[in-house]
Amino acid sequence: MIGIVTESLSCMTTEDRNFDNCVIVPAYCVWDNKIVPDSVREYPYGSRNITTRSPSATDYFNAFCELSKTTKEIVCFTSSQKIIPSYENA
């Protein structure tokens, strides 16, 4: 069975995320200097003081290690390298 690694920015559906061999690597929101996992929520200050951070190489490494315990083949899907550095980090 093939495992899948992707980032939270992939907008996978809940059904997709429940696939047994899928690991979602979280992007992060930096909100007033506080790092919180990427999620869909309303922020009380609109877009003021909010930035995003793509998953790091370590985040991807940990996801690959976790998934390699249950599968021998892994496919990784990331956003375009022209948009964010997730491609290079993966």
Side-chain angles (χ1 to χ4, degrees), residues 6-8 10-19 22 24:
T6 190
E7 62 204 16
S8 58
S10 66
C11 298
M12 291 180 75
T13 65
T14 303
E15 293 81 23
D16 294 334
R17 290 176 186 233
N18 290 333
F19 180 66
C22 183
I24 308 295

Side-chain angles (χ1 to χ4, degrees), residues 33-59:
N33 295 322
K34 226 187 261 186
I35 297 176
V36 296
D38 177 39
S39 64
V40 177
R41 67 172 80 179
E42 289 187 28
Y43 293 100
Y45 303 112
S47 62
R48 188 181 72 191
N49 298 324
I50 298 174
T51 58
T52 57
R53 189 189 95 195
S54 61
S56 69
T58 301
D59 294 328

Side-chain angles (χ1 to χ4, degrees), residues 15-85:
E15 293 81 23
D16 294 334
R17 290 176 186 233
N18 290 333
F19 180 66
D20 287 338
N21 285 337
C22 183
V23 176
I24 308 295
V25 182
Y28 300 95
C29 295
V30 181
W31 177 20
D32 287 331
N33 295 322
K34 226 187 261 186
I35 297 176
V36 296
D38 177 39
S39 64
V40 177
R41 67 172 80 179
E42 289 187 28
Y43 293 100
Y45 303 112
S47 62
R48 188 181 72 191
N49 298 324
I50 298 174
T51 58
T52 57
R53 189 189 95 195
S54 61
S56 69
T58 301
D59 294 328
Y60 279 102
F61 178 79
N62 291 337
F64 289 127
C65 287
E66 177 185 338
L67 198 52
S68 69
K69 295 175 187 174
T70 60
T71 187
K72 292 184 179 183
E73 299 175 319
I74 299 172
V75 177
C76 181
F77 297 100
T78 67
S79 298
S80 169
Q81 63 186 359
K82 294 179 180 179
I83 299 172
I84 58 175

